[in-house]
Amino acid sequence: PELTENTIVNRDELFQELSKIREQGYAYNNEESIVGLRSVGVPVVTSDGDVLGGISVSGPANRMKGDWYRKEIPNLLLGAANEIELKSTYG
């Protein structure tokens, strides 16, 4: 169901977005479920590709914008996920 004007409701658009997420390794929620709320999330996976869980950061859209939202947060989350993955494999 469409929760906001940014909710993806078209099947083809959804599969295109999922493909992009798999390729880049992280996902954005740009006010798709709640107006004024943005999120970035990454998976935590084992060396075999099994999903252990995920990490996400959410915040007000007026603070989560620009390079901070599009580049810095994803990079920080990818780094944290990588540390967890390494510790789960070697720790």
Side-chain angles (χ1 to χ4, degrees):
E2 186 173 347
L3 300 174
T4 73
E5 64 182 36
N6 293 335
T7 303
I8 298 173
V9 293
N10 177 283
R11 183 181 175 96
D12 292 335
E13 187 179 340
L14 174 62
F15 282 110
Q16 189 175 25
E17 182 70 13
L18 291 172
S19 177
K20 181 179 175 183
I21 291 166
R22 276 188 212 96
E23 184 178 308
Q24 66 189 14
Y26 51 88
Y28 295 107
N29 178 339
N30 186 17
E31 301 182 79
E32 294 169 34
S33 53
I34 299 173
V35 174
L37 180 71
R38 286 184 171 166
S39 303
V40 182
V42 301
V44 178
V45 297
T46 66
S47 57
D48 297 331
D50 295 327
V51 177
L52 293 174
I55 305 171
S56 68
V57 173
S58 300
N62 68 326
R63 289 191 199 168
M64 295 186 70
K65 57 187 176 183
D67 283 348
W68 173 246
Y69 175 63
R70 290 284 172 192
K71 294 180 182 177
E72 292 184 47
I73 293 174
N75 285 334
L76 289 168
L77 290 174
L78 288 167
N82 184 245
E83 286 187 41
I84 294 168
E85 293 163 354
L86 289 171
K87 287 181 182 180
S88 73
T89 300
Y90 302 107

